[in-house]
Amino acid sequence: MSLFEVISKIEDIEIIAVGSKIRDLEWLQKTYGNGRWRKLKGFARIRFLDDGEEFEAEVHWYEAHGIGKVEMKIKELLD
């Protein structure tokens, strides 16, 4: 999988799961620490770091207060 960066504001953010409803909660706590973990999704413009191509994409990530966004991934390229 190629590395990418988000180059626009993430819009239409929705919460997918919170706390014990997150399938990877135990792994998140071991890797990043305890927190009020949430899984979120949104839409943003991304740029692949290897070739510079830009796309609109649906992105998913985990987030906890005091830890921030982690494990951001592209769910779908939209254009």
Side-chain angles (χ1 to χ4, degrees):
M1 174 172 260
S2 298
L3 296 176
F4 68 96
E5 64 181 342
V6 174
I7 59 173
S8 71
K9 180 179 176 185
I10 301 173
E11 298 180 342
D12 299 328
I13 297 172
E14 293 180 35
I15 298 171
I16 298 171
V18 177
S20 63
K21 300 294 184 189
I22 299 173
R23 187 174 47 187
D24 298 326
L25 181 62
E26 186 176 320
W27 176 81
L28 284 167
Q29 290 173 333
K30 285 182 181 176
T31 305
Y32 297 103
N34 291 326
R36 185 174 180 271
W37 285 101
R38 302 182 304 166
K39 184 173 184 177
L40 300 109
K41 72 174 186 179
F43 298 90
R45 187 138 193 101
I46 60 106
R47 177 185 304 133
F48 287 106
L49 298 180
D50 57 352
D51 60 9
E53 284 192 281
E54 296 181 7
F55 296 92
E56 292 291 326
E58 179 181 341
V59 292
H60 290 198
W61 69 94
Y62 298 103
E63 184 176 299
H65 182 73
I67 298 171
K69 294 179 179 72
V70 299
E71 303 294 326
M72 186 168 282
K73 68 178 180 182
I74 298 168
K75 188 67 173 181
E76 182 178 4
L77 295 176
L78 302 175
D79 59 9

